[in-house]
Amino acid sequence: MEFLDYFRQSLHLKPVDANTYSPLVLAYLGDSVYELMIRTRVTNRGSMQVNKMHKKSASLVKAQTQAQILKLLEPELTPEEEAVYKRGRNAKSASMAKHATMIDYRMATGFEALIGYLFLTEQYSRMVELVGKGLEFIGEFESE
């Protein structure tokens, strides 16, 4: 927790009520947190060409993969988590991913909103648990 305390203090972050944020704001934050988690995992597998790292990361953060992860995780979500996911999924966005179906894009937005919510509410263990289970469910850990 030292890093998080330092992070909060150095950036002068004040406590927030995640329930006051729109689901698209939660998704905006969740997108970056999830991407950082994935990039950290990819770079942790060892040094390789950056282009290869980018392709691997991109395959795990694309809407289709996030939607697949959410489908597999949904039975394990608490009622609170499911409500946050559904708020994000049902939010009307002005744009859509280039290479995603509307259903996958909306599910991915819900997944990102959930990650953003868990991050803002400092439920880091649960956030990491869900992402880890999701990666396990899609076979990301099979080659280890």
Side-chain angles (χ1 to χ4, degrees), residues 118-131:
L118 293 171
F119 182 81
L120 277 180
T121 56
E122 300 182 5
Q123 296 181 62
Y124 307 119
S125 295
R126 180 63 173 159
M127 179 181 72
V128 172
E129 176 188 0
L130 288 175
V131 171

Side-chain angles (χ1 to χ4, degrees), residues 41-53:
R41 165 119 173 106
V42 168
T43 57
N44 185 254
R45 304 279 59 90
S47 185
M48 66 176 89
Q49 292 176 334
V50 173
N51 185 42
K52 288 182 181 177
M53 284 192 236

